[in-house]
Amino acid sequence: MAKTAQSTATKQLPILVKDYMTQHHLPFTCGTPLKVVLDRLMRDHLSGLPVINENKEVIGFVSEQDCIKQVLQSSYFCDQSAIVNDVMRTDVLTVSPNQDIINLAQQMIDHKPKVYPVVENNRLVGLITRTDILRALAENMTNCAF
């Protein structure tokens, strides 16, 4: 009786955003002075953070790039009254904690955000960065047998 060859390939489990996202960066809230935004982004070496309302719903995103124009104008006119609402983008790309990182990595090829807010039930639950995604992909590569 002939033995059948069993497949040695194992099916990879999905790599989920929730397994690599960070939860320790506090978002900005409406009305935060731009000076506070700049200080925090520079101090914590962040390229940007979400802006939330009182219900923890993401209503915007502010990045270093978003701040540059306002900072140029503010420094030229010595006006430091700007707030996060003046510079944040409201068309925010968000992801689900249960989204597959492989799909997100493919999406990042066409979209430029370096940081994605992770949202569940319309509430911010974390952030995932390009670095987090690269770490997940690299770890997955080491689990592959060549």
Side-chain angles (χ1 to χ4, degrees), residues 25-32 40 49-62 84-85 88-89 92 94 117-119 122-127:
H25 293 299
L26 295 175
F28 296 113
T29 55
C30 289
T32 301
R40 185 127 160 265
L49 282 172
V51 180
I52 61 168
N53 63 17
E54 59 279 354
N55 297 321
K56 292 184 76 173
E57 297 169 325
V58 176
I59 58 166
F61 192 90
V62 63
V84 71
N85 308 51
M88 71 181 190
R89 285 175 281 126
V92 183
T94 63
V118 182
V119 175
N122 295 323
R123 291 184 175 213
L124 181 68
V125 295
L127 297 173

Side-chain angles (χ1 to χ4, degrees), residues 35-67:
K35 173 82 169 99
V36 172
V37 171
L38 295 171
D39 289 346
R40 185 127 160 265
L41 291 178
M42 290 184 296
R43 180 192 71 219
D44 296 343
H45 305 284
L46 299 168
S47 60
L49 282 172
V51 180
I52 61 168
N53 63 17
E54 59 279 354
N55 297 321
K56 292 184 76 173
E57 297 169 325
V58 176
I59 58 166
F61 192 90
V62 63
S63 70
E64 295 166 315
Q65 185 176 4
D66 298 326
C67 295

Side-chain angles (χ1 to χ4, degrees), residues 18-30:
K18 67 182 174 185
D19 296 326
Y20 289 90
M21 69 182 192
T22 58
Q23 299 174 333
H24 64 274
H25 293 299
L26 295 175
F28 296 113
T29 55
C30 289

Side-chain angles (χ1 to χ4, degrees), residues 56-96:
K56 292 184 76 173
E57 297 169 325
V58 176
I59 58 166
F61 192 90
V62 63
S63 70
E64 295 166 315
Q65 185 176 4
D66 298 326
C67 295
I68 289 174
K69 181 180 178 184
Q70 185 65 44
V71 171
L72 279 171
Q73 290 178 340
S74 295
S75 63
Y76 182 78
F77 294 109
C78 292
D79 175 19
Q80 296 184 12
S81 62
I83 60 175
V84 71
N85 308 51
D86 298 330
V87 297
M88 71 181 190
R89 285 175 281 126
T90 56
D91 56 335
V92 183
L93 292 174
T94 63
V95 297
S96 160

